[in-house]
Every structure is written in C-alpha cells, then in structure tokens.
C-alpha cells in the first residue's frame, strides 16, 4: 500500500512540475486565438461574451506555444468558473506600459473576485477556493511555473464582487 501511495503522489508531482518544451519565437495574439478556438467548443464557455483587445504586430516572445495555450486556457477557465459561465471576459494584449520591453496579456473577468486573504495563496499547489470536486488547485500553480520558466511573471488585481485581472 505504501508503494502504491508513493506512485500516486509521484504521479501528481510529475503532473504539477513544469515540463521542458521547445521554445521558439511566438506570436502571442495567435496563441490567444488558438486558445479561444479550442475553448469555443466548451459547453459552459459558449455562454460567455469574449471581448478581444489584441494589439497588432507585437514583438514575438520566445516560448513553447503549447505551454502558453495550457496557461491561457487555465486562466480563461478559471475566469469562466468565477463568472459562473455568464458575463464578459476581456482578453487584452499589448506592450507593458510600465516596461516597454515586455509583452503583456491580460484576462479580465466580471466574476466573484478573490478575497484579499486568499490572494497570497492562489499560486500554491493544491490550493483552491472552488467547491469540492470542481478544482484540484493545480491550474494556477502550473501557470505560474510556465510563465516563470519564460522569465515572466503573473500579477493579479481582484476585488470581491467586481472581478479579477490576471496579467
């Protein structure tokens, strides 16, 4: 039984670790569009209004597009859950106004928001505020690892009852 438990835990840890990918120059807007294309078939995602505010001709970023899709999808599905599959999701891209050498992608929802006491913990593995059976608490942790591996960062602004902005 101990060996079986160890295999299960090792499998979960392997799943949560960032996997090395093939990095190449990537058009972030194309990755956003690919992710939205994949999500348009998700039954609950169909009920959202998605506003695209994508800046044309952004510099390419050195990234693995598959891992970016994984991150963008997790962020958009979290937004969908926060809005209970209703409302507007704004996806915005552009140059970071605070640092002109960075490309920034934002996912802005009109959901329930994140309580201030939960904000410091949302990127911890297995931490979730979702009801039992609705989340594992790995999505944001994996996103954080993927973005960190690209020498980026994720910043969050959130207000309870108003929504969240993941940059």
């Amino acid at each position: 039984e101990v060996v079986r438990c160890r295999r299960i835990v090792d499998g979960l840890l392997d799943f949560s670790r960032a996997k090395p990918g093939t990095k190449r120059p990537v058009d972030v807007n194309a990755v956003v569009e690919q992710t939205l294309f994949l999500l348009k078939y998700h039954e609950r995602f169909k009920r959202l209004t998605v506003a695209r505010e994508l800046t044309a001709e952004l510099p390419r970023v050195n990234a693995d597009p598959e891992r970016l899709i994984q991150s963008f999808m997790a962020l958009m599905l979290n937004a969908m859950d926060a809005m209970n599959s209703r409302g507007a999701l704004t996806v915005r891209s552009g140059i970071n106004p605070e640092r002109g050498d960075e490309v920034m992608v934002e996912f802005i929802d009109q959901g329930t928001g994140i309580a201030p006491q939960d904000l410091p913990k949302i990127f911890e593995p297995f931490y979730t505020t979702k009801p039992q059976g609705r989340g594992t608490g790995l999505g944001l942790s994996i996103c954080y690892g993927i973005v960190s591996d690209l020498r980026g960062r994720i910043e969050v602004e959130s207000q309870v009852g108003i929504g969240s902005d993941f940059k």
Side-chain angles (χ1 to χ4, degrees):
E1 285 301 302
V2 170
V3 171
R4 186 178 68 80
C5 288
R6 181 177 178 183
R7 276 196 311 263
I8 291 169
V9 170
D10 285 345
L12 284 170
L13 291 172
D14 285 343
F15 174 75
S16 67
R17 285 189 190 106
K19 313 267 186 302
T22 306
K23 293 180 187 174
R24 61 181 170 83
V26 173
D27 177 354
V28 172
N29 289 338
V31 174
V32 167
E33 291 294 350
Q34 286 176 304
T35 309
L36 288 169
F37 178 79
L38 293 171
L39 285 173
K40 78 179 183 178
Y41 297 106
H42 192 293
E43 187 60 38
R44 290 176 44 227
F45 201 81
K46 290 178 184 179
R47 295 181 252 168
L48 294 180
T49 302
V50 178
R52 291 170 171 85
E53 298 177 6
L54 306 177
T55 301
E57 300 182 28
L58 288 172
R60 292 180 176 265
V61 298
N62 197 32
D64 175 357
E66 297 302 319
R67 293 182 70 209
L68 275 184
I69 288 172
Q70 180 182 358
S71 293
F72 293 172
M73 188 174 294
L75 291 169
M76 288 192 246
L77 289 173
N78 277 355
M80 176 192 72
D81 286 343
M83 294 186 287
N84 199 21
S85 304
R86 305 231 187 279
L89 170 64
T90 301
V91 182
R92 181 181 298 148
S93 69
I95 298 295
N96 184 346
E98 296 173 12
R99 292 201 45 186
D101 62 337
E102 293 180 343
V103 172
M104 182 169 68
V105 181
E106 290 182 82
F107 302 93
I108 306 162
D109 68 56
Q110 299 173 331
T112 55
I114 302 167
Q117 66 271 18
D118 291 327
L119 274 174
K121 299 180 257 183
I122 62 172
F123 296 110
E124 293 177 8
F126 304 108
Y127 182 80
T128 184
T129 59
K130 293 180 182 178
Q132 185 87 17
R134 284 284 298 272
T136 61
L138 288 174
L140 287 178
S141 175
I142 291 170
C143 285
Y144 187 87
I146 290 170
V147 173
S148 293
D149 186 49
L150 299 174
R151 296 185 326 187
R153 64 192 174 283
I154 300 179
E155 298 174 357
V156 184
E157 296 173 10
S158 188
Q159 292 183 7
V160 174
I162 294 175
S164 300
D165 180 357
F166 281 78
K167 301 177 183 180

